Amino acid sequence: MENPTPDRIFQTGLAFWPSKVLLSAVEMEVFTELAKHPGDLATVQGRLGLHPRGGRDFLDTLVALGFLVREGGVYRNTPETDLFLDKNKPSYIGGILEMANSRLFKFWGSLTEALRTGLRQNEGKHGDDMFATLYADPARLKEFLRAMSGVSRGANLAIARQFPWAQYNSFVDAGTAQGDLAVQVALAQPHVRGIGFDLPEVAPIFEDYATQAGVADRLSFQGGSFFTDDLPKVDVVMMGHILHDWDLEQKKLLLRRAYEAVPEGGAVIVYDSIIDDDRSQNAFGLMMSLNMLVETDGGFDYSGADCRGWMEEIGFKDIRVEHLVGPDSMVVGIK
């Protein structure tokens, strides 16, 4: 065996350095600007408003981290940052990074307190309701919903392709947020009609997003709370990055409501960063569960075996766990 070294300890312990460099670059729209105007140091510093003391180090750090390239003194995006971090492209996924920068970065600074107390550390730390606070501020709500699209895009595309949609004609996306899951399914499956279900404040954001995607004729919005209002009767109920927000009893209640909304043979799809059953491989899923500790009163992420057990208890059959992309997997149950 090789002699142990402290390399991984240092890389992880100081991982907030590269994280904050990238988050600040997204905040200052570095990649959006360079998509339009690659330039030399003086030009880029001027266009981004960077102080000369840190500007060169900042841009060269982005080069060293692999987020920019510098050729002949000219800075430009890499193929990945050009595709995914240019705000002017529909493939932009930076919403989740914007939220990480403006909210999560500071809240995770109190992780030790959360681990010792079991209490959330976000806006609700002093008794406020996180979702009520977010939904009351249109600008922050829009940022949050964009973030949900960003973190979910890959899984949404996979579900739109991977699930056997030929057997079904209608769906509801419960907790639809901006509506990316509903939109991706509608784009990939022209025969299917869908409903986005969320609190009423989300309606204009969902409708604008569906219109921009060209699928507004097959998607509609229904306002309500999935804790107090029945879900629409459809063939398939989907919940993407929803179940992990809630405690165990609330998770089971949502699964029961989904079960009641579909006919015999109907399907329920839930997806999150499903933790592997051994709880030793999906580090992202485990850290997402810690994020639920920081962000919610009782939420937690879960393994495929956990979700299978809850679904069996409710009455689902033919339950399966399928990997989607990255850390995300879906659990499908049939009524």
Side-chain angles (χ1 to χ4, degrees):
M1 294 181 64
E2 294 182 5
N3 291 329
T5 72
D7 292 355
R8 191 162 56 88
I9 293 172
F10 283 130
Q11 288 170 3
T12 303
L14 297 175
F16 65 93
W17 286 5
S19 172
K20 195 63 179 75
V21 169
L22 177 60
L23 296 180
S24 289
V26 171
E27 178 185 3
M28 292 187 288
E29 301 187 1
V30 170
F31 308 107
T32 302
E33 177 61 29
L34 289 179
K36 296 182 291 187
H37 303 290
D40 61 18
L41 176 61
T43 301
V44 176
Q45 280 188 161
R47 296 185 73 92
L48 294 175
L50 300 174
H51 191 281
R53 184 176 176 214
R56 183 180 183 186
D57 287 346
F58 175 60
L59 294 171
D60 287 346
T61 299
L62 289 168
V63 171
L65 291 172
F67 298 124
L68 295 180
V69 295
R70 187 187 64 239
E71 298 169 337
V74 173
Y75 294 92
R76 64 182 71 248
N77 292 335
T78 66
E80 291 80 9
T81 55
D82 195 67
L83 180 63
F84 295 118
L85 294 179
D86 174 7
K87 277 190 170 181
N88 295 322
K89 292 185 174 68
S91 50
Y92 178 70
I93 62 166
I96 184 63
L97 302 182
E98 294 174 40
M99 188 178 78
N101 190 48
S102 64
R103 295 185 62 251
L104 299 183
F105 200 90
K106 59 187 175 184
F107 298 146
W108 267 69
S110 300
L111 177 61
T112 303
E113 182 177 344
L115 291 168
R116 290 232 166 96
T117 65
L119 300 176
R120 57 181 169 162
Q121 302 300 310
N122 62 2
E123 296 92 344
K125 186 173 183 177
H126 303 293
D128 297 328
D129 183 289
M130 181 192 80
F131 288 111
T133 301
L134 284 172
Y135 278 62
D137 183 335
R140 293 184 69 189
L141 176 60
K142 195 167 187 178
E143 178 191 72
F144 176 75
L145 298 185
R146 280 201 313 267
M148 295 305 97
S149 292
V151 76
S152 303
R153 175 65 52 76
N156 295 345
L157 289 167
I159 290 172
R161 297 188 306 262
Q162 194 169 313
F163 184 74
W165 287 105
Q167 303 173 29
Y168 305 97
N169 295 310
S170 62
F171 69 82
V172 61
D173 178 20
T176 192
Q178 194 175 27
D180 191 66
L181 177 54
V183 163
Q184 299 307 329
V185 172
L187 287 171
Q189 307 294 335
H191 71 285
V192 177
R193 302 184 71 86
I195 300 168
F197 185 91
D198 212 313
L199 296 179
E201 296 91 332
V202 175
I205 298 171
F206 175 91
E207 290 165 354
D208 286 349
Y209 194 67
T211 298
Q212 291 168 12
V215 291
D217 59 325
R218 290 186 291 116
L219 294 180
S220 60
F221 182 86
Q222 182 171 324
S225 165
F226 42 43
F227 285 117
T228 57
D229 300 308
D230 291 336
L231 294 173
K233 302 297 184 182
V234 290
D235 297 335
V236 180
V237 172
M238 303 187 292
M239 295 183 181
H241 290 155
I242 295 296
L243 215 58
H244 71 165
D245 286 333
W246 311 102
D247 66 28
L248 180 56
E249 289 310 308
Q250 290 169 317
K251 282 175 167 61
K252 291 181 180 180
L253 173 60
L254 293 180
L255 289 172
R256 286 191 200 98
R257 287 190 173 276
Y259 184 85
E260 292 164 358
V262 298
E264 291 290 325
V268 172
I269 303 169
V270 297
Y271 84 79
D272 276 304
S273 298
I274 304 293
I275 299 169
D276 57 290
D277 290 349
D278 188 55
R279 297 177 56 84
S280 63
Q281 300 298 316
N282 190 350
F284 186 92
L286 290 161
M287 287 187 287
M288 181 61 81
S289 198
L290 291 176
N291 192 57
M292 293 302 102
L293 169 67
V294 170
E295 285 273 66
T296 70
D297 285 326
F300 61 92
D301 282 75
Y302 49 91
S303 69
D306 293 332
C307 193
R308 185 188 296 272
W310 305 330
M311 284 188 163
E312 287 175 348
E313 180 183 325
I314 289 165
F316 288 97
K317 60 183 181 181
D318 299 329
I319 305 164
R320 63 185 188 273
V321 181
E322 292 185 22
H323 179 251
L324 295 170
V325 64
D328 281 341
S329 296
M330 65 177 172
V331 185
V332 179
I334 306 300
K335 182 170 179 178

